[in-house]
Amino acid sequence: RKMSIWQWMGIVLVFGGLTITAWNAAVSLGPNVFNGSILVIAGSAMHALTYVLSEAIMTHEVERLTIPQNCAVQGIVACSAFAFWQVVYTRRHFTELIQTPMNDAGTTTIQAITILFSFSLANLVHALSFFHTLKHFPGGATSAGVMKGLQAVLVFVVTSWVFCGRSGGSEMCFTRLKFLSLIVVVTGLCIYGKATEQRMQHGSKDGDGGYSRIEEEEKSSSSSRNDKNVQVV
């Protein structure tokens, strides 16, 4: 996907805004937090790959998955993996990991089932919204990633409101650095959004969702098609 310099600037600001809090945590809370941040970055890179692949299988080639189909396939795979883990590990440690904490918290079986059902319903809404963004929102996977950055900093606000002074330590509270991170991310998001809108107005969106085929790949595909035509002849 080709992007303008302003779109790249917005992406850099969003990423930079998120690293502000990570760097502050590494300095104030110790090296373990920094190591955790590195692992999060690596995991985020792999997670971002699923953005691109999910968009590709819904917007490219002749045979494309619909949003419900994509949601169903990934949901079935995830549920199968979780079910396998419950059988091979959780089942053997059910009392110490599930039953005892439930009894200590005074949680009934009905309450636990209600929580799980609510969580599943929220995940369904999240998945459908996510895949709809990938397929129909200008910028596709890139825009979804940028908006994820906004979601991350808004968590700072909600976490402070819900947990600050009630649970955890000072990391739950809203600080000046978190406010700075929020401002930088929102600024980057606004720049990216405006630049994307301008590219759309100038007709940069094409039938492939804004992507352009790499020249070498296109030549290879053309050569392969010509070879097949020669063989047929």
Side-chain angles (χ1 to χ4, degrees):
R1 169 170 284 135
K2 292 183 178 180
M3 296 187 295
S4 68
I5 184 64
W6 286 104
Q7 285 177 302
W8 278 113
M9 185 178 297
I11 292 173
V12 170
L13 281 175
V14 170
F15 181 79
L18 293 175
T19 59
I20 291 175
T21 54
W23 179 258
N24 176 66
V27 173
S28 60
L29 300 178
N32 288 334
V33 174
F34 179 76
N35 294 336
S37 299
I38 297 299
L39 292 175
V40 168
I41 291 174
S44 297
M46 291 186 286
H47 183 58
L49 178 62
T50 65
Y51 283 41
V52 179
L53 295 178
S54 293
E55 181 188 358
I57 61 179
M58 291 190 296
T59 59
H60 291 263
E61 306 303 332
V62 178
E63 296 182 358
R64 305 173 181 176
L65 290 182
T66 63
I67 293 174
Q69 287 173 337
N70 197 357
C71 184
V73 169
Q74 297 202 35
I76 291 172
V77 172
C79 286
S80 300
F82 278 121
F84 177 77
W85 180 257
Q86 306 311 312
V87 172
V88 299
Y89 181 80
T90 306
R91 182 174 57 86
R92 295 181 297 165
H93 305 277
F94 182 82
T95 301
E96 59 185 283
L97 295 180
I98 307 297
Q99 191 64 54
T100 300
M102 282 180 59
N103 293 336
D104 293 341
T107 304
T108 65
T109 302
I110 298 299
Q111 290 174 328
I113 294 176
T114 302
I115 293 172
L116 289 175
F117 178 77
S118 301
F119 186 69
S120 301
L121 183 61
N123 274 334
L124 175 61
V125 175
H126 168 75
L128 290 174
S129 302
F130 171 69
F131 292 129
H132 187 274
T133 300
L134 291 180
K135 185 170 184 177
H136 298 294
F137 196 83
T142 308
S143 296
V146 171
M147 288 189 289
K148 272 289 186 180
L150 176 63
Q151 176 188 355
V153 293
L154 290 179
V155 168
F156 298 156
V157 180
V158 177
T159 300
S160 179
W161 177 54
V162 175
F163 296 108
C164 184
R166 300 183 180 89
S167 177
S170 59
E171 69 276 4
M172 296 294 182
C173 299
F174 200 69
T175 62
R176 293 181 179 178
L177 276 179
K178 288 183 178 180
F179 178 73
L180 176 61
S181 175
L182 175 63
I183 296 300
V184 173
V185 169
V186 171
T187 301
L189 181 66
C190 292
I191 292 175
Y192 174 83
K194 185 64 177 178
T196 301
E197 181 183 4
Q198 290 176 347
R199 284 184 66 84
M200 296 293 293
Q201 291 176 348
H202 286 80
S204 62
K205 183 179 181 181
D206 52 37
D208 291 325
Y211 287 98
S212 57
R213 186 178 294 275
I214 298 175
E215 185 176 355
E216 288 77 6
E217 180 183 347
E218 186 174 7
K219 289 180 179 179
S220 176
S221 299
S222 299
S223 176
S224 177
R225 288 194 296 269
N226 291 335
D227 291 342
K228 290 181 179 179
N229 292 334
V230 171
Q231 292 175 2
V232 171
V233 175

